[in-house]
């Protein structure tokens, strides 16, 4: 097949975006994101795309092209480079964030980083790549055009059409229209807000609401937002200047991103305005503002620790104002609500809720009218909605058909499904392996379904360790069994149950030996089965049972 397009992450999910465009022997990877686990994935720190098919075709990879610097697009980059080599192409600000990640993983020295902008043109022989600027909630965002002999493939990146963006980085609508006029064979467009009617509100709207809240506040002001939303950070800086407040930064990602943004010219902070957290309590409360991470309820982030009174240098006192300048990502609502409850208990005034009710947040993702405008400008023959859960992709398909994309020409795919284009015709008949790779501490990919199942069982029903010592010569029990319970029952309150378990183990081992069964693994299986059935009958629980046999 000449031209193939598929996703390794980002479809039927929010997060871990990774898309691949392949023309003959040239493979181009778009983004390499991560996503955070839900509470069912016990102990997992990060989820990244499975990259088996890229590892099998490593010599064909021509580059990793990054649309922008959000975690769901760059979170997996260090893990990509632990397995693969390829030049990176990204804008100035995005490169700064990628460099931070690669430095942390000690991978910076061996990686080729190439700075691009919306006017860059890359020539890979049969495939040429150009770019266009889009507005989003982080600086320096790009859409990508792959010019192939089979036709142009456009990836929009994350976007909205903001005609008055806070950083004056307008979407290059004229360039998009020109791309559409030249002809687009396939459009890949993000679907995050495909269910929301209308146009996305402008980022400028937030500035006046923030300013008003700063004017009214009497104590300290805490603003929690995404560290990467540099436009929002700039608006907080402006509001602090107007109300004569110093600014402290809490949270490692906030400090890192602000450093990169100031260093690369994306954030203007007056000299002497930033203060260290330990200075906060030395100043009058109405002279301080604090920018912190944790708007999504992350348990170890600054806002969560502040809400429980566990932040070392700074405390929230009655009368302080807390502004949640971000909406909860679906799935995080419960954690965010818990933090808001705790903030109210501390006596804080809390401004929270969706952007439309408080004016403190607007989405960086286009609503239906934005998505329709992109489709109208690009006029694609084929359309692949990406970056969203199934219902979002479904709504995006309906929007595409409403503005002229032919019915049957939209492909709602799964991660790994390949759309092949040959002689101007697209079809989806094959796929590649695609799934989740779990990052747990420093380990990548060695925690799978079996380990997670064990963790789930341990977390729900605990474990029983049964230790017994056998004589090698006489093949009799000479010590034990001793039963140790962890997370199952409190032994002192369940002595009868433990006594019954020990009797049952002794009986099971004796019967097996009388039947001339002396293999350890068979004896262990017999103990597990007998004890497991007895405990379930008595308690309706299924703890993990670990028999340990010592032979002397």
């Amino acid at each position: 097949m000449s031209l193939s397009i598929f996703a390794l992450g980002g479809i039927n999910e929010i997060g871990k975006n990774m898309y691949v465009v392949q023309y003959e022997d040239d493979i181009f990877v778009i983004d390499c994101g991560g996503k955070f686990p839900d509470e069912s994935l016990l102990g997992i720190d990060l989820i990244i795309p499975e990259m088996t098919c890229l590892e099998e075709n490593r010599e064909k990879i021509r580059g990793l092209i990054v649309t922008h610097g959000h975690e769901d697009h760059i979170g997996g980059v260090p893990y990509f480079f632990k397995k693969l080599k390829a030049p990176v192409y990204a804008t100035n600000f995005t490169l700064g964030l990628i460099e931070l990640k690669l430095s942390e993983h000690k991978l910076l020295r061996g990686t080729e980083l190439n700075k691009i902008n919306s006017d860059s043109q890359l020539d890979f022989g049969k495939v040429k790549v150009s770019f266009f600027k889009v507005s989003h909630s982080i600086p320096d965002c790009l859409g990508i055009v792959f010019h192939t002999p089979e036709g142009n493939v456009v990836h929009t990146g994350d976007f909205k059409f903001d005609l008055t963006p806070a950083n004056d980085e307008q979407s290059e609508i004229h360039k998009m229209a020109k791309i559409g006029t030249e002809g687009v064979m396939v459009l890949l467009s993000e679907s995050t807000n495909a269910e929301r009617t209308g146009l996305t509100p402008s980022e400028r709207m937030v500035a006046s609401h923030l300013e008003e809240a700063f004017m009214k506040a009497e104590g300290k002001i805490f603003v929690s937002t995404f560290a990467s939303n540099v436009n929002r950070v700039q608006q907080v800086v402006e509001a602090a200047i107007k109300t004569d407040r110093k600014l402290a930064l809490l949270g490692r990602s906030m400090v890192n991103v602000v450093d990169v943004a100031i260093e690369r010219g994306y954030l203007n902070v007056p000299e002497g305005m930033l203060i260290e957290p330990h200075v906060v309590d030395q100043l009058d409360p109405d002279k301080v503002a604090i920018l912190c991470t944790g708007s999504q309820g992350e348990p170890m982030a600054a806002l969560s620790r502040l809400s429980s009174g566990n932040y070392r240098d700074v405390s929230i006192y009655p009368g302080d104002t807390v502004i949640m300048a971000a909406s909860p990502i679906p799935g995080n609502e419960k954690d965010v609500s818990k933090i808001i409850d705790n903030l109210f208990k501390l006596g804080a005034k809390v401004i929270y809720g969706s952007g439309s009710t408080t004016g403190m947040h607007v989405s960086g993702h286009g609503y239906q009218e934005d998505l329709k405008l992109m489709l109208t400008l690009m006029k694609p023959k084929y359309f692949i909605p990406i970056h969203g859960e199934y219902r979002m992709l479904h709504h995006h398909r309906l929007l595409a058909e409403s503005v002229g994309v032919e019915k049957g020409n939209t492909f709602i795919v799964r991660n790994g499904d390949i759309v092949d284009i040959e002689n101007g015709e697209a079809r989806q008949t094959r796929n590649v392996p695609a799934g989740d790779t779990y990052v747990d501490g420093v380990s990548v990919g060695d925690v799978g379904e079996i380990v997670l199942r064990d963790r789930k069982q341990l977390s729900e029903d605990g474990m029983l360790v049964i230790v017994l010592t056998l004589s090698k010569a006489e093949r009799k029990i000479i010590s034990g069994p001793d039963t140790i319970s962890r997370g199952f029952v409190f032994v002192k309150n369940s002595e009868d149950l433990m006594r019954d378990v020990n009797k049952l183990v002794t009986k099971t081992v004796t019967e097996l030996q009388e039947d001339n069964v002396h293999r350890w693994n068979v004896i262990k299986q017999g103990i597990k089965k007998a004890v497991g059935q007895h405990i379930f009958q008595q308690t309706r629980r299924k703890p993990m049972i670990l028999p340990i046999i010592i032979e002397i």
Side-chain angles (χ1 to χ4, degrees):
M1 297 293 177
S2 294
L3 177 62
S4 305
I5 299 160
F6 57 95
L8 292 176
I11 293 186
N12 291 314
E13 62 185 346
I14 299 288
K16 80 174 177 63
N17 290 284
M18 192 179 207
Y19 307 93
V20 179
V21 174
Q22 178 172 2
Y23 183 78
E24 293 181 348
D25 286 338
D26 294 327
I27 288 178
F28 303 92
V29 182
I30 304 162
D31 295 338
C32 181
K35 75 173 180 180
F36 294 111
D38 61 32
E39 55 208 19
S40 69
L41 297 173
L42 300 158
I44 300 302
D45 300 317
L46 185 69
I47 307 168
I48 58 172
E50 181 187 337
M51 303 182 204
T52 314
C53 73
L54 295 179
E55 290 173 56
E56 290 169 356
N57 294 280
R58 60 180 69 237
E59 72 290 342
K60 297 178 183 176
I61 300 173
R62 302 293 169 252
L64 169 62
I65 304 172
V66 183
T67 58
H68 66 286
H70 275 146
E71 279 298 308
D72 58 332
H73 296 261
I74 65 168
V77 167
Y79 306 99
F80 177 94
F81 285 108
K82 286 179 181 179
K83 295 185 176 183
L84 298 158
K85 265 203 171 324
V88 178
Y89 298 91
T91 53
N92 184 33
F93 185 66
T94 308
L95 271 188
L97 299 177
I98 289 173
E99 283 175 17
L100 268 179
K101 288 190 172 298
L102 295 177
S103 295
E104 283 175 15
H105 288 261
K106 298 182 170 51
L107 293 165
L108 190 54
R109 188 174 294 176
T111 309
E112 182 191 332
L113 301 175
N114 300 284
K115 193 185 292 184
I116 55 171
N117 58 42
S118 61
D119 296 323
S120 299
Q121 305 227 348
L122 308 177
D123 191 339
F124 296 96
K126 290 179 181 174
V127 179
K128 296 181 175 50
V129 183
S130 64
F131 305 90
F132 54 93
K133 197 183 289 184
V134 292
S135 293
H136 187 40
S137 55
I138 188 172
D140 259 8
C141 301
L142 295 177
I144 309 169
V145 188
F146 295 92
H147 305 266
T148 80
E150 277 288 346
N152 293 345
V153 178
V154 175
H155 184 294
T156 64
D158 288 6
F159 75 93
K160 67 175 183 178
F161 287 100
D162 190 341
L163 301 179
T164 54
N167 55 5
D168 292 326
E169 280 192 10
Q170 270 91 2
S171 304
E172 293 183 320
I173 298 174
H174 59 289
K175 202 185 260 191
M176 297 178 205
K178 187 168 182 285
I179 293 161
T181 306
E182 289 166 0
V184 173
M185 179 60 70
V186 186
L187 174 69
L188 290 82
S189 181
E190 71 125 325
S191 313
T192 316
N193 277 334
E195 299 166 281
R196 301 177 75 170
T197 57
L199 275 164
T200 320
S202 171
E203 187 70 36
R204 285 269 166 100
M205 183 190 89
V206 177
S208 59
H209 290 285
L210 265 174
E211 215 171 280
E212 187 183 341
F214 267 63
M215 296 285 190
K216 288 178 179 173
E218 291 169 1
K220 295 194 294 294
I221 300 176
F222 294 80
V223 182
S224 181
T225 188
F226 294 110
S228 59
N229 194 339
V230 175
N231 300 338
R232 190 71 43 77
V233 173
Q234 185 69 62
Q235 289 170 336
V236 172
V237 169
E238 300 298 333
I241 291 169
K242 285 182 180 169
T243 52
D244 193 26
R245 289 176 183 262
K246 298 284 188 187
L247 189 63
L249 307 175
L250 304 185
R252 191 167 65 101
S253 60
M254 184 66 76
V255 172
N256 286 343
V257 171
V258 167
D259 283 349
V260 171
I262 291 173
E263 180 194 322
R264 298 193 174 223
Y266 294 88
L267 190 59
N268 298 313
V269 183
E271 193 81 28
M273 184 180 189
L274 289 178
I275 58 170
E276 292 297 321
H278 65 83
V279 180
V280 167
D281 282 342
Q282 298 169 20
L283 298 171
D284 290 339
D286 60 354
K287 295 294 180 191
V288 186
I290 294 111
L291 250 176
C292 61
T293 55
S295 61
Q296 298 306 305
E298 306 93 315
M300 294 310 293
L303 188 64
S304 178
R305 286 156 61 203
L306 284 164
S307 74
S308 56
N310 288 329
Y311 205 91
R312 191 177 57 200
D313 295 315
V314 184
S315 297
I316 294 175
Y317 296 115
D320 287 346
T321 297
V322 181
I323 299 169
M324 309 284 281
S327 294
I329 292 168
N332 294 344
E333 295 91 347
K334 199 164 74 176
D335 294 331
V336 174
S337 297
K338 189 177 170 187
I339 286 175
I340 292 168
D341 282 348
N342 288 343
L343 291 168
F344 277 120
K345 286 175 189 173
L346 291 173
K349 178 189 175 190
V350 190
I351 301 172
Y352 67 99
S354 65
S356 56
T357 55
T358 66
M360 293 300 177
H361 178 65
V362 295
S363 179
H365 301 273
Y367 291 7
Q368 289 183 352
E369 296 306 313
D370 302 66
L371 300 181
K372 280 154 71 176
L373 178 54
M374 180 64 80
L375 284 156
T376 305
L377 290 167
M378 292 297 174
K379 300 192 284 285
K381 180 176 181 182
Y382 294 105
F383 176 51
I384 304 175
I386 58 169
H387 200 297
E389 292 164 357
Y390 187 86
R391 66 186 185 282
M392 302 165 187
L393 309 179
H394 168 76
H395 281 293
H396 206 171
R397 171 173 58 190
L398 299 179
L399 293 175
E401 288 170 1
S402 76
V403 295
V405 174
E406 206 172 299
K407 274 196 174 183
N409 280 11
T410 297
F411 292 87
I412 295 187
V413 293
R414 294 163 303 179
N415 292 329
D417 287 352
I418 301 175
V419 176
D420 291 307
I421 293 101
E422 196 165 21
N423 301 322
E425 294 301 315
R427 58 201 180 112
Q428 198 285 301
T429 55
R430 60 195 185 105
N431 51 45
V432 293
D436 293 340
T437 299
Y438 300 130
V439 179
D440 184 0
V442 294
S443 304
V444 181
D446 62 351
V447 175
E449 294 304 320
I450 294 168
V451 174
L452 286 171
R453 193 176 65 216
D454 285 349
R455 287 182 183 180
K456 189 168 189 293
Q457 188 180 359
L458 283 166
S459 73
E460 289 176 351
D461 291 320
M463 67 186 287
L464 269 186
V465 181
I466 300 165
V467 184
L468 67 155
T469 308
L470 297 179
S471 162
K472 201 170 189 178
E474 298 172 22
R475 301 193 183 277
K476 288 181 180 173
I477 298 174
I478 55 175
S479 172
D482 294 316
T483 306
I484 303 158
S485 166
R486 289 290 180 271
F488 168 53
V489 290
F490 184 50
V491 175
K492 283 185 180 175
N493 295 345
S494 308
E495 288 177 354
D496 290 346
L497 179 63
M498 293 295 108
R499 201 177 299 117
D500 291 346
V501 166
N502 290 340
K503 282 180 187 172
L504 186 58
V505 171
T506 305
K507 180 171 176 265
T508 305
V509 173
T510 306
E511 285 174 356
L512 285 168
Q513 288 179 333
E514 283 170 359
D515 292 340
N516 237 359
V517 175
H518 301 294
R519 281 167 51 206
W520 281 20
N521 61 333
V522 178
I523 293 172
K524 284 182 177 181
Q525 284 304 321
I527 293 170
K528 274 183 170 181
K529 186 178 177 185
V531 172
Q533 285 174 349
H534 177 74
I535 283 174
F536 186 71
Q537 284 169 3
Q538 298 295 315
T539 67
R540 287 293 182 266
R541 294 189 219 164
K542 292 182 177 179
M544 183 179 286
I545 298 164
L546 296 177
I548 297 172
I549 299 173
I550 302 163
E551 207 171 54
I552 57 172

